[in-house]
Amino acid sequence: MNILYLCHRFPFPPKRGGKIRPFNMIRHLSSQGHKVTVCSLARSPEEAAEGQGIAPHCDRFEVGNVWNPVQALRMVARLPITTPSSMGFFYSAELEGKVRRLLAEQKWDLIFVHCSSVAQYVEHVEDIPKILDFGDMDSQKWFEYANYKPFPISLGYRLEGSKMLAAEKRLARRFDLCTATTRAEWETLNEYGTGAATDWFPNGVDAGFFCPIDEPYEADTISFIGRMDYYPNQECMSRFCEQVWPLLKAKKPEMKLLIVGADPSPAMRKLGELPGVTVTGSVPDVRPHIRKSALMVAPLNIARGTQNKILEAMAMGVPVVTSSIAAGGVDADAETHFLVADTPDQLAQAILRVVDSPEERQRLATAGRERMLSHHAWPHSMARLDGIIARGVKNFSDKRGERKQ
C-alpha cells in the first residue's frame, strides 16, 4: 500500500514517548513492503537535522518547520474560539501545503494519523481510507491538569479539555477506524458514544536494547526517569520528595534517589539540594542509571496511556513501584510483575520491601522482564496493528458500497 503517515512529533530519533510509538509503526509498515510517506513537524534546526535519520525507515518524509514562540501565539489566538489551542500548537502552514500537494499528486491507499492534534490536516479527506490513532485521549489529560493547577489557570485547562473533547468526538466520526494505546483509553473513547469503529494496540519496548546486564546494583539507590520539563513528572517528583522521601530517609538514612531526565526546571533542580537526592539533567543514556538502581519509582498522579519508562525498567529487570493510574497503562499484574501503591505510607512500604529483600527484587525483576517479552514486545503490538489496518480499509470499502446503493 501507498501510505500517508502524519504524526505530531517528528518520529526520529525515537528517544521520547511521543516519538517511540510512531517510529515503530513506520518501521514496521515499511518492513512489510508498504511505501510510507511521513509528514511531521520539527521545532528546531537541530530536530530537523536529527530527523534525517528516518530516511532508511520510510519511502519519503516531509517536514513542517515551526518555532515555538509562533506556535504559542497560535494557541492564544484559539482561546476565544471553539478550536482547541492544542490544534494551534501543532499547526504549520508549511506542512499543510505539503500534505495538500501530496494528496493532489499521488494515489493513496491509506492515511494513518498518530495523535488527534494533526488530524486537522486530513480530516476533510473522504475518498481515501483513514485511521486515527489517538494514542491517549488528550482531553482527559487537560481535565486532570485542571485538578492540580490554581485558579484561574485551572479554568483554562478545563476549557481546553472541553474543546478537545468536542474535537475528539468530531474526529472519531470522520475516520474509518480510531485506536488508542491502552484498554483503558479505548474504553474512554467508546464512552464518547460516537458510533465510530474503535480498537487498541499497546506500546512495545525494545527488549534487546533495554535488557538486563550481569553487574551488581546499588541496594540503597532508587531512580525516577522522565523528562523534567513535563508537568506530570514535575508534580510526581515534587510530591514524592515532600511526602515519601522523608519516610524513606528516616528508615534508611543512606538511601539515594536519582532523578534522571532532560531539561529540569529550577524547582526540579532545587530538589537536588535534599539529602541523598541527585538531579542529573540530560544524560546520553538512561540505562546505566536505571540498571544500578534497586528499583524505579513511577508514582504519577497524572498519567494517560502507557508510561514507557515503566516498560523500559521492567524490560531491564529492574523492579517498578508505581501508582494505580500509571499501572493502568501497562499490561501486567500488580504484585506479580510490579508493585502498585498510592499513599505515601504505601509507597514507602513497597519501596522498602524491595530494597530490604534481594530475593523479592529478583522475583520482580524476572517476572517483569518475562511480562515485557510476552505482552509488550513490538512484534506482538504490530501484529495487532496489521489487523486494525485491514479492518479500517474494509470499513471504508463497506461505507462506499453503502453510499452507492
Side-chain angles (χ1 to χ4, degrees):
M1 288 196 296
N2 200 23
I3 301 175
L4 182 62
Y5 189 104
L6 288 85
C7 50
H8 67 312
R9 299 192 186 279
F10 201 86
F12 196 90
K15 293 180 178 179
R16 58 182 294 177
K19 301 185 177 208
I20 294 170
R21 183 173 173 90
F23 171 74
N24 279 279
M25 282 190 264
I26 292 162
R27 180 174 62 175
H28 169 74
L29 293 171
S30 295
S31 73
Q32 296 298 102
H34 302 301
K35 295 179 65 176
V36 183
T37 296
V38 178
C39 295
S40 190
L41 302 169
R43 298 186 175 273
S44 68
E46 294 77 19
E47 185 177 18
E50 275 193 318
Q52 301 288 317
I54 195 73
H57 306 287
C58 63
D59 185 64
R60 176 180 176 182
F61 63 92
E62 298 286 352
V63 182
N65 295 281
V66 295
W67 189 41
N68 277 347
V70 172
Q71 300 311 102
L73 291 175
R74 294 189 192 280
M75 294 176 69
V76 172
R78 285 160 174 77
L79 288 175
I81 63 177
T82 58
T83 304
S85 294
S86 306
M87 299 289 191
F89 189 69
F90 290 102
Y91 175 75
S92 159
E94 179 187 9
L95 186 61
E96 182 180 44
K98 290 181 175 181
V99 170
R100 190 184 302 115
R101 285 193 294 274
L102 286 166
L103 289 170
E105 294 169 359
Q106 296 188 42
K107 180 182 181 302
W108 300 95
D109 301 301
L110 175 68
I111 296 173
F112 196 105
V113 177
H114 171 67
C115 186
S116 57
S117 293
V118 289
Q120 59 188 308
Y121 295 105
V122 295
E123 65 173 294
H124 63 283
V125 177
E126 296 184 348
D127 59 346
I128 304 169
K130 296 186 303 183
I131 295 175
L132 171 56
D133 177 36
F134 281 99
D136 306 334
M137 308 312 298
D138 286 334
S139 62
Q140 306 308 305
K141 176 180 65 179
W142 300 128
F143 287 138
E144 287 184 11
Y145 273 34
N147 295 327
Y148 293 90
K149 295 290 187 177
F151 183 85
I153 297 173
S154 60
L155 186 62
Y157 280 114
R158 291 194 191 283
L159 175 62
E160 179 67 5
S162 298
K163 290 160 71 172
M164 198 71 216
L165 176 59
E168 288 169 346
K169 291 180 178 180
R170 184 191 76 246
L171 291 168
R173 295 186 182 100
R174 294 189 178 181
F175 281 72
D176 298 294
L177 197 149
C178 299
T179 62
T181 307
T182 68
R183 183 178 294 276
E185 296 291 88
W186 173 59
E187 290 172 350
T188 297
L189 174 58
N190 285 335
E191 288 168 2
Y192 290 176
T194 62
T198 64
D199 208 330
W200 71 281
F201 62 103
N203 275 357
V205 61
D206 185 343
F209 185 77
F210 293 102
C211 61
I213 58 172
D214 188 19
E215 291 183 8
Y217 67 93
E218 296 179 6
D220 294 319
T221 296
I222 64 175
S223 62
F224 175 85
I225 313 296
R227 290 192 62 88
M228 298 316 297
D229 58 350
Y230 183 49
Y231 179 71
N233 290 340
Q234 294 173 344
E235 190 280 331
C236 174
M237 278 295 95
S238 293
R239 176 174 39 82
F240 183 86
C241 287
E242 178 185 352
Q243 299 179 3
V244 183
W245 191 237
L247 301 178
L248 294 172
K249 291 294 282 185
K251 292 284 188 179
K252 297 185 80 67
E254 68 278 16
M255 185 168 280
K256 297 186 286 292
L257 167 64
L258 301 176
I259 301 176
V260 184
D263 299 326
S265 66
M268 291 298 99
R269 289 196 178 277
K270 192 169 181 61
L271 294 178
E273 299 175 9
L274 296 172
V277 178
T278 299
V279 179
T280 68
S282 182
V283 296
D285 189 347
V286 301
R287 292 175 299 170
H289 299 277
I290 303 175
R291 285 169 173 152
K292 76 177 182 180
S293 306
L295 60 92
M296 191 191 78
V297 294
L300 292 110
N301 270 345
I302 307 171
R304 303 301 307 185
T306 301
Q307 299 297 312
N308 288 301
K309 60 173 72 72
I310 297 178
L311 306 187
E312 292 164 0
M314 292 173 70
M316 285 187 281
V318 176
V320 172
V321 175
T322 187
S323 61
S324 297
I325 190 168
V330 182
D331 191 354
D333 299 323
E335 291 295 313
T336 301
H337 305 113
F338 54 4
L339 301 184
V340 177
D342 291 307
T343 69
D345 284 339
Q346 290 171 349
L347 285 163
Q349 290 171 15
I351 291 166
L352 291 171
R353 172 177 158 186
V354 178
V355 168
D356 289 339
S357 173
E359 294 78 17
E360 177 69 352
R361 183 186 189 273
Q362 185 59 52
R363 180 188 72 81
L364 288 166
T366 301
R369 167 76 178 176
E370 290 176 351
R371 188 69 170 190
M372 292 303 99
L373 293 174
S374 62
H375 285 67
H376 278 285
W378 279 115
H380 167 77
S381 179
M382 293 300 95
R384 285 184 61 90
L385 174 63
D386 290 339
I388 285 167
I389 289 175
R391 182 180 163 207
V393 172
K394 183 178 184 301
N395 289 348
F396 172 79
S397 298
D398 290 347
K399 289 177 185 176
R400 295 195 80 178
E402 291 172 1
R403 286 196 292 265
K404 289 178 180 179
Q405 291 177 1

